[in-house]
Amino acid sequence: MSFKLLYTGLIGSLLMHVAVTQSSEQHPSLLTWKCTTSGGCVQQNTSVVLDKDSKYAQGGAGSRTAADYAAMGVSTSDDAVTMYHYVKSGNTLNPASPRIYLLDSNGEYVMMKLLNQELSVDVDYSAVPCGENGAFYLSEMKADGGGSSGGAAAGQGYCDAQCQGYCCNEMDILEANARATALTPHPCNGNNCDKAGCGYNPYASGQRNLWATGGTVDTTKPFTVVTQFVGSGTLTQIKRIYIQNGRQTNGGTLSSCNDGQGGLAGMGQALGRGMVLAMSIWNDAAQQMAWLDSGNNGPCTIQESTPANIQAQHPDTHVVFSNIRWGDIGSTTKS
């Protein structure tokens, strides 16, 4: 049986949602909105691109097809993107663990300028178990991908505060599964990055039922996550709000960060310049994601959080991000 036949349904869906860019790569379309208080939300002609290093894609970066996105567990439908960690190919379950970025209509990364702005997204973490991380975050990548072959349209130019690729500011909006979450700025001062970050984890702060299966924010069902970057000229606070079934819940506020690597002010400067939206799903063979969801950070155990256990017990693990909107504070969730 050919590879294409294994993914006929998914590929068919992808081919219906392909955005045209200057690259030969078939970027799956993903509707997003940019909002203002005065003008409401305006639909953007955006799409997603796989990171250049996508192991199970057969095509090279810059020339990938719908089959390559399917092989990496990525599909879009209107305003929703779904990412599977594991993808079946014949009798093999490949740990695809995709990472994708948001592209504009010109084939460059969307530069979200979020100082004194907000970013909202609808999420479904119901199929993301202990030890898994459905990440939705910002990286100060270059709009054109940094001049590498194919540029942004080929998924080039990744960077983060762990200095993968190179060192740059990173704002983790959501690192999460169904049992725990963290909101973490990682500012950098040159190549000196705050790798640990100054995150807010509600479970670690004592709010152990705020984000939980059956909790105040019930992670077995979809909900909206709003992150506000408050400050005119200088970032002073990062606020989190959850909305589920019409009910709004305060998700916490960050008012300080480690000043040695730039602190909140440095993070705000990066947000003012513009940052790139990245999305991924992954697990952690080294630490079993304990820094996110076990011990004081969450209710999970190391044993259930190993990649081997996740693959055996949760081969269908996936995350869905949808209805991505950014703009003036208070504008993205107006009816």
Side-chain angles (χ1 to χ4, degrees):
M1 183 181 291
S2 72
F3 180 82
K4 286 186 178 179
L5 289 176
L6 293 171
Y7 299 99
T8 301
L10 184 55
I11 294 169
S13 173
L14 281 166
L15 286 171
M16 293 174 64
H17 300 282
V18 171
V20 177
T21 72
Q22 295 173 349
S23 167
S24 63
E25 183 148 341
Q26 296 177 350
H27 301 116
S29 173
L30 181 68
L31 300 180
T32 62
W33 287 265
K34 191 172 182 180
C35 307
T36 61
T37 304
S38 59
C41 295
V42 178
Q43 184 176 299
Q44 304 295 295
N45 181 18
T46 44
S47 59
V48 297
V49 61
L50 282 166
D51 183 82
K52 68 180 182 65
D53 296 321
S54 295
K55 182 176 180 180
Y56 296 100
Q58 299 299 303
S63 60
R64 290 169 175 153
T65 67
D68 293 309
Y69 282 82
M72 287 300 299
V74 176
S75 64
T76 64
S77 177
D78 297 325
D79 68 354
V81 58
T82 303
M83 293 186 292
Y84 282 81
H85 188 131
Y86 300 101
V87 179
K88 192 171 185 181
S89 177
N91 294 321
T92 302
L93 197 61
N94 292 330
S97 189
R99 183 169 67 217
I100 59 175
Y101 315 114
L102 190 66
L103 284 178
D104 66 18
S105 58
N106 295 316
E108 293 197 336
Y109 295 129
V110 174
M111 301 303 290
M112 292 186 176
K113 297 183 178 182
L114 291 173
L115 181 59
N116 211 31
Q117 301 276 285
E118 70 181 23
L119 171 62
S120 68
V121 59
D122 293 352
V123 300
D124 186 346
Y125 278 102
S126 60
V128 187
C130 287
E132 196 75 15
N133 187 342
F136 184 91
Y137 64 108
L138 301 164
S139 165
E140 197 177 6
M141 298 159 65
K142 294 179 174 62
D144 64 0
S148 299
S149 177
Q156 299 279 359
Y158 181 70
C159 62
D160 61 26
Q162 306 304 316
C163 299
Q164 297 183 63
Y166 60 95
C167 301
C168 72
N169 290 285
E170 174 186 349
M171 178 65 231
D172 292 335
I173 305 293
L174 286 161
E175 291 193 280
N177 54 46
R179 309 298 297 280
T181 188
L183 165 69
T184 312
H186 294 274
C188 296
N189 185 1
N191 289 331
N192 180 17
C193 293
D194 186 0
K195 294 186 177 183
C198 44
Y200 180 79
N201 176 324
Y203 188 98
S205 74
Q207 298 173 288
R208 300 202 163 183
N209 199 49
L210 176 63
W211 174 293
T213 55
T216 304
V217 177
D218 183 0
T219 58
T220 67
K221 301 172 183 177
F223 53 95
T224 301
V225 180
V226 184
T227 309
Q228 299 177 334
F229 302 97
V230 181
S232 179
T234 301
L235 181 65
T236 57
Q237 289 184 325
I238 302 174
K239 294 184 177 181
R240 167 60 51 82
I241 299 166
Y242 300 112
I243 304 171
Q244 188 173 48
N245 298 326
R247 183 181 67 185
Q248 184 170 304
T249 301
N250 179 8
T253 300
L254 276 171
S255 300
S256 62
C257 193
N258 303 326
D259 291 334
Q261 289 88 9
L264 273 191
M267 192 78 258
Q269 290 169 9
L271 289 163
R273 289 189 293 266
M275 300 182 75
V276 175
L277 179 62
M279 294 165 274
S280 65
I281 184 167
W282 60 287
N283 53 37
D284 180 5
Q287 300 180 67
Q288 292 75 49
M289 219 68 73
W291 54 269
L292 174 66
D293 63 16
S294 69
N296 188 52
N297 300 315
C300 301
T301 67
I302 295 297
Q303 291 74 22
E304 67 183 321
S305 300
T306 64
N309 185 71
I310 295 169
Q311 182 169 339
Q313 300 298 322
H314 305 280
D316 191 47
T317 183
H318 63 278
V319 66
V320 183
F321 299 120
S322 62
N323 194 26
I324 298 168
R325 297 171 184 252
W326 70 101
D328 294 342
I329 288 176
S331 70
T332 67
T333 57
K334 282 185 176 180
S335 300

